[in-house]
């Protein structure tokens, strides 16, 4: 990625399977019990977007350099992209973050999917490792693997 703050893909070019993932993810977020999380990990990269519900709000995080190996650190251009797209600098959690109070599942899903695509290079939900401690959430998100390319 160049040092300019630009995505490698155009924002209006979200792949069909990722566009179809938005309502599935938004519904899973809406049903996520208080204090539970969803992690959308990008296979074999150490990169992720994670969501957690709390006190009627939602916090969305994407990996910061604190959690990445030296050879996988975010570049200045990537850090600029995050800042330009409203991600806050890491706090004590070590990740870049957004918060919605009250919770807004569709906005959260949109930010998560767009970031996974434009920032982390995800083209299809099959490229994700999905984790949650809530079985109903995992069951709802299993539909992502069935989305066509």
């Amino acid at each position: 990625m160049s040092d300019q703050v630009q995505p490698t893909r155009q924002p209006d070019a979200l792949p069909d399977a990722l566009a179809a993932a938005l309502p599935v993810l938004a519904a899973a977020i809406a049903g996520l019990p208080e204090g539970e999380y969803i992690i959308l990990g990008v296979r074999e990269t150490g990169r992720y977007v994670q969501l957690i519900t709390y006190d009627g709000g939602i916090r969305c995080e994407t990996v910061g350099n604190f959690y990445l190996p030296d050879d996988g650190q975010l570049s200045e251009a990537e850090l600029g992209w995050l800042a330009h797209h409203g991600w806050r600098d890491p706090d004590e959690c070590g990740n870049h973050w957004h918060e919605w109070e009250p919770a807004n599942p569709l906005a959260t899903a949109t930010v998560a999917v767009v970031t996974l695509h434009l920032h982390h290079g995800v083209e299809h939900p099959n490229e994700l490792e999905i984790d949650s401690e809530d079985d109903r959430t995992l069951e709802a998100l299993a539909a992502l693997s069935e989305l066509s390319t």
Side-chain angles (χ1 to χ4, degrees), residues 5-53:
V5 179
Q6 296 178 7
T8 57
R9 298 156 193 84
Q10 295 301 314
D12 61 351
L14 200 60
D16 290 345
L18 288 178
L22 285 172
V24 175
L25 182 57
I29 294 167
L32 193 63
E34 184 78 16
E36 292 294 334
Y37 65 84
I38 297 170
I39 301 173
L40 305 167
V42 183
R43 292 186 194 280
E44 301 177 17
T45 68
R47 293 181 177 217
Y48 55 85
V49 171
Q50 62 187 9
L51 322 155
I52 187 164
T53 57

Side-chain angles (χ1 to χ4, degrees), residues 39-42 45-51 60-69 72-75 78-79 81-82 87-91 93-98 112 115-116 119-120:
I39 301 173
L40 305 167
V42 183
T45 68
R47 293 181 177 217
Y48 55 85
V49 171
Q50 62 187 9
L51 322 155
C60 182
E61 299 178 347
T62 192
V63 68
N65 280 335
F66 182 80
Y67 295 104
L68 293 169
Q73 296 280 296
L74 301 173
S75 69
E78 290 174 305
L79 293 170
W81 187 93
L82 289 169
W87 287 94
R88 295 184 179 137
D89 287 337
D91 56 13
C93 75
N95 289 322
H96 300 269
W97 57 282
H98 275 282
T115 300
L116 285 164
H119 181 63
H120 295 304

Side-chain angles (χ1 to χ4, degrees), residues 23-38 51-53 57-58 103-106 132-141:
V24 175
L25 182 57
I29 294 167
L32 193 63
E34 184 78 16
E36 292 294 334
Y37 65 84
I38 297 170
L51 322 155
I52 187 164
T53 57
I58 298 176
N104 187 327
L106 183 57
S132 178
E133 289 184 346
D134 184 63
D135 290 337
R136 287 185 314 160
T137 300
L138 287 175
E139 188 176 304
L141 292 174

